Amino acid sequence: MNKIHLFLLTTGFLTAFALHSKAQPDPSIYTSWENGFTTSLKNTLDMALPPFGPYSDRYNGISHIPAKNNGFRFDVIVQPSFYMRNITPLANVKRESGYHPWESTPDLSFFSYRYQLEWKDRVYCDVSFNKVDDQTRLIRAEFVNNTENNRSLALNIFNTIVFPFEKRIRAILPQNAVWQKAADYKSFREKTYSWNYNLVYDGQLRGQVKDELAVSGNAIIAGANNTVIDYLRLINNGRLRKGTLLLRYKKLAEGNTTIQVNLNNELANTVDLGSEREFALAKIPLNKIPDGEVTLSLKFLNGSAVRLEGFTLINEEDAAKVTFTEDKLNYISKRIKAGLPNAIILKYDDINEYYGLIWSDLSAEKRELFDSNADKAIAVFNNLVRSGNKPSETVRIKGNNEGWFFNIFSAPIIVKPHETATGYAYLVCGTDENEVTEKLNDLNTRWPQAESIYHRQRVKSKESNINPTGETYRFSQQLMKATALTNLIYPSFAQNQFIKHTTPGKRWSSLYTWDSGFIGLGFSALNLGRALESLNAYTMDSTRQSAFLEHGTPLPTQAYLFNEIWNKSQNLEYLKYFYPRLKRYYNYLSGAESSPTRKLKSNLIATWDIFYNSGGWDDYSPQVYVHQKKLESTVAPTINTAHQIRFAKFLKMAAWQLGRNEDIKKYDEEIIKYTKALQQLAWDETSGYYGYVQHDKSGNALGILRHLSGKNFNMGLDGCSPLLAGICNEDQTRKIVDHLFTKGELWSVHGITAIDQSAPYYDKDGYWNGRVWMPHQWFFWKTMLDLNEPDKAIQIAKTALEVWKRETEDTYNCWENFSVETGNGGGWHQFGALSSPVLNWYEALYKAGTVTHGFDVWPISEKFSAFNDEFNGKFKLFGSSSKLKSTLLICLDQKNAYEAFCNGEKVQLKKIHEGLYSVALTAIDNDDNIADLSIVKKK
């Protein structure tokens, strides 16, 4: 999508500045990828999801994102509870509070939660949000009483506005003047490049920081490194000869700061900024302003850093008119009658849209809460009971006056033993009061249709093509699917725009690089469109400042997501769009673009400068030791180099498909270089693990980092990581596989641990150390197929699915990790992200129409029959041998018996369980190493 140029009138000037598009991907990516589908992915990090969704970072329910997309959010909180009891906390997304994600469709046309009022399922309420049309959602709340006694229950629906800031500063300007924020620059350059010059944290722009005392809510830091900032053209249609440039700034350190202003690359003025530590205005006279197009550049010649917030260019005599004020935030909406006793229209000053709400319970009480904390307000006993007012009257509940909620209170709802009671409400959004009023009046006649809307949307959330053998895991997978699909936040702010974003769990509202790679991998088992937009958000084209979107561990999980989407799509437009992005990502990790990863002369990669965590494992023993002893500049882990080798192999495969032979040569050279470094410097024959490698201050390798006991300090998954890179010889492979699958070492009855249990630094009570996590198991699961060890791959997958089933069914929670000692789940209770591989394992083993292979297999084409009872595929096998072999898992409709043919010859098709088979894929003995596979029903 082309950049949008806005021409804004100032006194004597038109200003033009470029904004990144605020568009989002086209929702069609969730259903089909037609020619040109990647066009809508350009210039956005946003998602294709609708404005209605579970986007709140406060309380559970449904939110609406206004079309202006300026960070504001309208929240509707739905809370079932007991009547006249305060034992049920408001469903807070940042703590365990009695509700569970239950079902969801990928496009959010349906999603639901179960609220446990009496554990376990004795008394509960299922709340769902159902698409009616683009402007309307149906809210359905079904109470269920499975006890032998009556239950008196209640339903609260709260409505409120959420601001993207706690303070708002407004510029008061002369007529037609425009305040331009400093971050809307064309380019930002510095004399010397720091390591993060091309990897700005959290997807921000260079120099950009959040600042609520800035007019736009953010500013840029400049000046300490001879910064040059260019802004797009100003058009001097008013033929202004003399003007004043007003810069709003504050100093961040002692010392002078000199700034040079250039117009059309000609010096216009040079000034020294004052020493103010709070925001102040610098008045810079500009004479001889050229006619027509004018380019503005700000060059910081020397001195200390400043925080630059924004500027305006005006007539000199108008400079005194420019002031700044803090606006009071108005949380309270206008309440507009809709002509119905059971409906209301809300209009907030800061949102263009009108919101309408209509509810089915004509006796429900209308209330207003003048408080920022609805949970605290309704916990007061007097607020737990009806006021006795008429339904036409509105009850006012006093609080701290720092927020406002409109509240519908439906109570008491009497539910008899083993019966249910269902209530409904419709939420409407529109740009016109009359439009919303008409819609509410129409919906008031359609209550009998509400149940059919619910059933029509809910059925879309059910997984199809699951073989009967997989039914035992369906419920635990349903909960994981719902959790992964609804772990959403708005607003996140990246690349100068507000976006929707999938988070590992709602206690974390920030972006996460390695977690999001696994989120995308999980989505690849649910909906390729959701996987696609995740990959798009974290990879950057050459026009962006950053090589990729970085937050947290820089392990390149997006490379595996890139590969997996190809495996499932074989779509050339996809490959052509993403290949340059992944290549840039790879090059940065290999030391390009001022990257700090290749400081050591050993050719081992270390990412400590980017983030403290090398493999996502916070308390991984040697990693903790490195930081405790401040050895980051001289010690390299194994895992970063191992994954870089696999990354290179993925790109080599893609380059082969795209015919980029020069790139293939480069990848081959780097694979050899990194492999040599690991094999010569990191392998420890005694322990059978690769080690962290110590270096001297000049970057020369010294030897393996050892524990005080003398043992290799890397007896864990990092020490096994070269196996997934495919570089181990036969003896190394045997030893590492033995470690992975020997009980009491890395294997436990609950899966693979992070640290070898026989190591002297193993800790059963750690966070990663002593726990079983899913993500690294996924890497080794795929690797087992490369090694022609399908039984071991199945062992990993089935063990994980059993652990997940047991713990999820027991608690209804989706856990981060599991204790080696007890098997119990722990960590965050609504976790997607690193637990997402359970979705991939379920699909691979039980969903008919799924083919799974290792990392060394590149699918050229794959096709199942309409009933998933036949398969044809063509594959290229990569490796060093002219005749290669790799194992595929293929899941077919389990009602039939099958036979397989590879390159025209019948081969063994080994049944693992009903519907799931393994088959050895052997390449034709030629330069291309191509294998043709067909599977047909036995006659």
Side-chain angles (χ1 to χ4, degrees):
M1 186 170 292
N2 293 327
K3 289 183 177 179
I4 302 171
H5 296 274
L6 303 181
F7 297 87
L8 301 175
L9 183 66
T10 70
T11 307
F13 267 87
L14 286 172
T15 66
F17 53 92
L19 294 175
H20 289 302
S21 167
K22 297 300 189 293
Q24 63 181 36
D26 193 291
S28 64
I29 64 171
Y30 297 146
T31 53
S32 62
W33 293 0
E34 303 297 336
N35 289 340
F37 74 95
T38 57
T39 301
S40 72
L41 300 176
K42 297 176 182 178
N43 297 326
T44 183
L45 278 63
D46 206 351
M47 307 174 75
L49 293 172
F52 286 107
Y55 303 130
S56 178
D57 59 354
R58 297 185 179 185
Y59 298 111
N60 196 50
I62 188 170
S63 301
H64 182 268
I65 301 169
K68 199 172 182 180
N69 190 33
N70 56 358
F72 285 84
R73 192 181 71 228
F74 176 70
D75 281 357
V76 178
I77 306 155
V78 182
Q79 181 63 59
S81 64
F82 284 99
Y83 181 53
M84 294 183 68
R85 296 178 65 186
N86 62 1
I87 62 171
T88 306
L90 200 58
N92 191 316
V93 302
K94 294 186 176 180
R95 67 166 187 244
E96 288 196 58
S97 47
Y99 77 94
H100 305 269
W102 207 249
E103 294 174 299
S104 182
T105 57
D107 65 357
L108 301 182
S109 56
F110 172 88
F111 56 98
S112 68
Y113 300 90
R114 176 160 293 186
Y115 293 74
Q116 291 287 336
L117 304 182
E118 280 188 41
W119 184 260
K120 180 180 188 182
D121 292 335
R122 283 170 53 80
V123 181
Y124 65 86
C125 184
D126 284 340
V127 176
S128 64
F129 303 93
N130 310 264
K131 180 179 178 179
V132 179
D133 55 43
D134 288 343
Q135 288 76 43
T136 311
R137 291 298 185 269
L138 167 68
I139 302 171
R140 177 185 183 272
E142 181 184 14
F143 290 90
V144 179
N145 180 8
N146 285 324
T147 74
E148 302 301 323
N149 301 299
N150 292 332
R151 288 293 184 264
S152 182
L153 307 173
L155 183 67
N156 277 287
I157 299 177
F158 302 93
N159 305 266
T160 194
I161 185 175
V162 180
F163 288 75
F165 40 69
E166 295 182 2
K167 290 185 177 182
R168 176 165 52 193
I169 305 300
R170 178 166 53 90
I172 300 174
L173 304 171
Q175 186 177 7
N176 294 327
V178 173
W179 187 257
Q180 181 166 334
K181 66 180 183 180
D184 279 340
Y185 54 71
K186 179 184 178 182
S187 66
F188 182 102
R189 308 184 304 281
E190 294 180 316
K191 184 177 181 180
T192 58
Y193 293 167
S194 61
W195 68 263
N196 61 349
Y197 185 78
N198 291 105
L199 196 70
V200 187
Y201 207 59
D202 273 341
Q204 303 306 303
L205 302 182
R206 287 179 193 140
Q208 191 172 38
V209 292
K210 182 179 179 180
D211 193 322
E212 292 207 328
L213 295 179
V215 172
S216 65
N218 63 81
I220 59 172
I221 295 176
N225 193 13
N226 296 97
T227 313
V228 178
I229 310 169
D230 296 324
Y231 292 92
L232 286 184
R233 54 198 175 95
L234 310 169
I235 304 176
N236 188 7
N237 287 342
R239 299 186 180 278
L240 181 65
R241 290 291 172 261
K242 295 183 178 181
T244 297
L245 180 67
L246 297 181
L247 291 177
R248 190 164 183 253
Y249 75 98
K250 62 181 173 183
K251 294 293 291 293
L252 299 178
E254 298 293 337
N256 295 328
T257 299
T258 302
I259 186 169
Q260 177 179 297
V261 181
N262 294 334
L263 297 177
N264 285 357
N265 297 317
E266 296 289 335
L267 177 63
N269 205 341
T270 301
V271 298
D272 290 327
L273 297 181
S275 59
E276 288 82 357
R277 291 302 185 96
E278 301 297 330
F279 277 119
L281 280 177
K283 299 178 182 180
I284 306 174
L286 299 178
N287 299 321
K288 298 181 181 181
I289 301 174
D291 291 337
E293 294 187 3
V294 180
T295 299
L296 171 67
S297 294
L298 305 177
K299 185 174 183 180
F300 292 80
L301 300 179
N302 56 59
S304 57
V306 301
R307 182 168 290 193
L308 181 62
E309 190 262 287
F311 62 87
T312 187
L313 180 60
I314 58 176
N315 283 315
E316 183 177 354
E317 61 268 23
D318 288 331
K321 299 177 183 179
V322 177
T323 59
F324 298 85
T325 185
E326 180 179 347
D327 285 344
K328 183 179 180 181
L329 306 183
N330 184 11
Y331 294 91
I332 302 175
S333 79
K334 298 181 181 69
R335 280 79 76 203
I336 302 170
K337 293 183 179 180
L340 297 167
N342 57 327
I344 190 72
I345 297 174
L346 304 176
K347 177 65 179 71
Y348 293 91
D349 290 346
D350 289 290
I351 297 177
N352 292 335
E353 289 86 345
Y354 292 77
Y355 293 104
L357 187 71
I358 186 168
W359 50 95
S360 60
D361 182 5
L362 295 175
S363 67
E365 192 169 81
K366 297 190 288 287
R367 310 197 296 187
E368 295 179 51
L369 278 63
F370 293 84
D371 203 297
S372 59
N373 188 333
D375 194 8
K376 181 179 178 181
I378 65 166
V380 177
F381 183 79
N382 287 348
N383 299 332
L384 297 169
V385 299
R386 293 182 66 96
S387 67
N389 288 21
K390 296 177 182 179
S392 60
E393 299 174 342
T394 300
V395 179
R396 295 170 63 89
I397 298 176
K398 296 180 180 180
N400 60 22
N401 289 320
E402 295 177 3
W404 183 85
F405 295 82
F406 184 80
N407 173 215
I408 303 303
F409 181 42
S410 184
I413 301 169
I414 308 300
V415 186
K416 295 181 180 180
H418 303 289
E419 291 191 5
T420 66
T422 305
Y424 306 95
Y426 285 105
L427 173 63
V428 178
C429 175
T431 57
D432 180 80
E433 177 185 334
N434 292 331
E435 171 195 1
V436 174
T437 300
E438 291 177 9
K439 187 78 170 180
L440 291 173
N441 279 270
D442 176 59
L443 291 169
N444 196 44
T445 67
R446 295 167 56 187
W447 295 114
Q449 302 173 29
E451 197 66 12
S452 63
I453 294 171
Y454 159 71
H455 287 291
R456 183 171 66 250
Q457 295 293 3
R458 184 190 180 201
V459 71
K460 299 177 185 177
S461 70
K462 304 299 181 184
E463 281 297 306
S464 59
N465 299 326
I466 301 300
N467 278 328
T469 49
E471 286 298 319
T472 185
Y473 302 109
R474 183 184 283 273
F475 176 67
S476 60
Q477 292 293 313
Q478 170 192 311
L479 297 190
M480 183 55 182
K481 175 184 176 182
T483 298
L485 292 174
T486 61
N487 266 341
L488 293 157
I489 293 290
Y490 177 91
S492 292
F493 188 78
Q495 295 295 291
N496 230 11
Q497 59 184 278
F498 290 105
I499 61 172
K500 301 180 290 293
H501 187 69
T502 305
T503 183
K506 290 202 174 190
R507 65 164 290 192
W508 303 279
S509 58
S510 55
L511 305 149
Y512 280 88
T513 303
W514 104 286
D515 293 72
S516 290
F518 274 102
I519 289 171
L521 285 167
F523 285 162
S524 73
L526 303 175
N527 183 278
L528 276 186
R530 290 288 295 264
L532 184 79
E533 62 193 2
S534 175
L535 184 61
N536 192 60
Y538 281 85
T539 57
M540 304 292 172
D541 65 25
S542 60
T543 66
R544 300 279 184 170
Q545 293 177 349
S546 292
F548 57 93
L549 198 160
E550 161 56 21
H551 179 107
T553 302
L555 203 66
T557 51
Q558 282 70 34
Y560 296 87
L561 176 56
F562 167 71
N563 181 253
E564 194 68 12
I565 294 176
W566 169 263
N567 291 345
K568 291 178 176 292
S569 70
Q570 296 96 59
N571 186 289
L572 276 175
E573 182 180 337
Y574 157 80
L575 197 66
K576 290 175 182 178
Y577 176 84
F578 278 102
Y579 175 79
R581 290 169 166 248
L582 272 295
K583 181 181 176 183
R584 186 182 182 197
Y585 194 152
Y586 169 85
N587 285 341
Y588 185 89
L589 292 179
S590 278
E593 298 191 51
S594 74
S595 167
T597 61
R598 292 283 303 281
K599 293 179 178 179
L600 301 171
K601 295 178 181 178
S602 62
N603 287 324
L604 293 173
I605 290 173
T607 60
W608 303 125
D609 289 328
I610 300 174
F611 197 65
Y612 79 92
N613 204 327
S614 61
W617 33 48
D618 305 60
D619 61 343
Y620 190 77
S621 300
Q623 176 175 279
V624 172
Y625 180 83
V626 164
H627 294 310
Q628 287 176 341
K629 300 299 181 180
K630 302 187 184 308
L631 301 175
E632 294 90 348
S633 63
T634 58
V635 174
T638 294
I639 191 167
N640 301 116
T641 308
H643 278 277
Q644 192 71 352
I645 293 170
R646 179 51 67 188
F647 200 163
K649 290 183 176 182
F650 285 150
L651 291 177
K652 176 184 175 180
M653 292 173 171
W656 173 84
Q657 182 74 54
L658 296 171
R660 303 196 178 190
N661 294 328
E662 288 303 312
D663 287 357
I664 292 174
K665 292 179 182 177
K666 173 195 170 186
Y667 299 136
D668 280 338
E669 290 171 0
E670 296 197 342
I671 289 166
I672 292 170
K673 176 173 59 182
Y674 292 138
T675 299
K676 182 179 179 181
L678 284 177
Q679 293 291 54
Q680 292 185 354
L681 304 174
W683 174 248
D684 178 30
E685 183 66 28
T686 302
S687 66
Y689 286 98
Y690 289 81
Y692 275 38
V693 178
Q694 298 184 96
H695 300 71
D696 61 23
K697 292 182 179 180
S698 298
N700 300 301
L702 296 175
I704 289 173
L705 180 69
R706 296 194 178 276
H707 182 255
L708 57 85
S709 65
K711 290 192 173 183
N712 186 341
F713 218 148
N714 199 26
M715 295 169 62
L717 294 181
D718 183 293
C720 299
S721 58
L723 188 69
L724 65 88
I727 66 167
C728 298
N729 62 35
E730 189 174 323
D731 180 62
Q732 291 167 335
T733 297
R734 178 183 55 79
K735 288 181 176 179
I736 292 175
V737 171
D738 284 348
H739 290 317
L740 288 168
F741 292 94
T742 298
K743 189 176 180 181
E745 293 188 29
L746 288 172
W747 187 259
S748 76
V749 294
H750 309 298
I752 297 173
T753 67
I755 297 287
D756 189 320
Q757 296 159 82
S758 68
Y761 37 85
Y762 174 77
D763 179 3
K764 66 180 179 64
D765 298 318
Y767 180 51
W768 274 79
N769 193 348
R771 311 287 292 187
V772 170
W773 291 68
M774 300 299 177
H776 290 280
Q777 294 194 82
W778 183 86
F779 294 131
F780 292 110
W781 168 66
K782 295 276 278 190
T783 300
M784 291 305 113
L785 298 178
D786 282 329
L787 297 177
N788 293 294
E789 294 276 8
D791 291 343
K792 287 183 168 58
I794 296 300
Q795 181 180 339
I796 292 172
K798 283 195 171 182
T799 301
L801 290 175
E802 284 294 333
V803 168
W804 191 260
K805 176 180 184 293
R806 181 190 69 230
E807 294 302 301
T808 303
E809 289 182 354
D810 184 43
T811 64
Y812 292 167
N813 288 333
C814 293
W815 298 107
E816 278 187 85
N817 52 60
F818 304 87
S819 167
V820 171
E821 186 177 33
T822 67
N824 294 150
W828 189 243
H829 65 294
Q830 292 174 0
F831 195 70
L834 306 180
S835 295
S836 294
V838 297
L839 295 167
N840 304 100
W841 289 320
Y842 183 59
E843 178 195 40
L845 271 57
Y846 299 107
K847 186 171 184 177
T850 305
V851 60
T852 307
H853 49 73
F855 297 132
D856 288 331
V857 177
W858 181 261
I860 301 170
S861 64
E862 294 177 352
K863 187 175 182 180
F864 283 88
S865 64
F867 298 102
N868 298 312
D869 54 8
E870 289 187 356
F871 173 80
N872 287 283
K874 178 177 285 188
F875 305 87
K876 179 174 174 62
L877 278 63
F878 283 79
S880 58
S881 171
S882 61
K883 186 169 184 179
L884 304 171
K885 186 177 180 181
S886 186
T887 297
L888 268 65
L889 298 178
I890 188 157
C891 191
L892 299 151
D893 188 314
Q894 75 173 62
K895 293 193 296 292
N896 306 293
Y898 300 94
E899 54 186 353
F901 299 86
C902 185
N903 304 321
E905 297 182 4
K906 188 173 182 178
V907 294
Q908 182 184 15
L909 188 64
K910 181 182 177 183
K911 180 187 283 190
I912 296 170
H913 58 236
E914 293 297 327
L916 182 66
Y917 301 86
S918 66
V919 59
L921 196 65
T922 305
I924 300 172
D925 189 10
N926 58 30
D927 291 338
D928 286 333
N929 292 325
I930 302 297
D932 286 295
L933 178 68
S934 63
I935 299 177
V936 299
K937 290 182 287 186
K938 282 186 176 179
K939 298 179 180 178

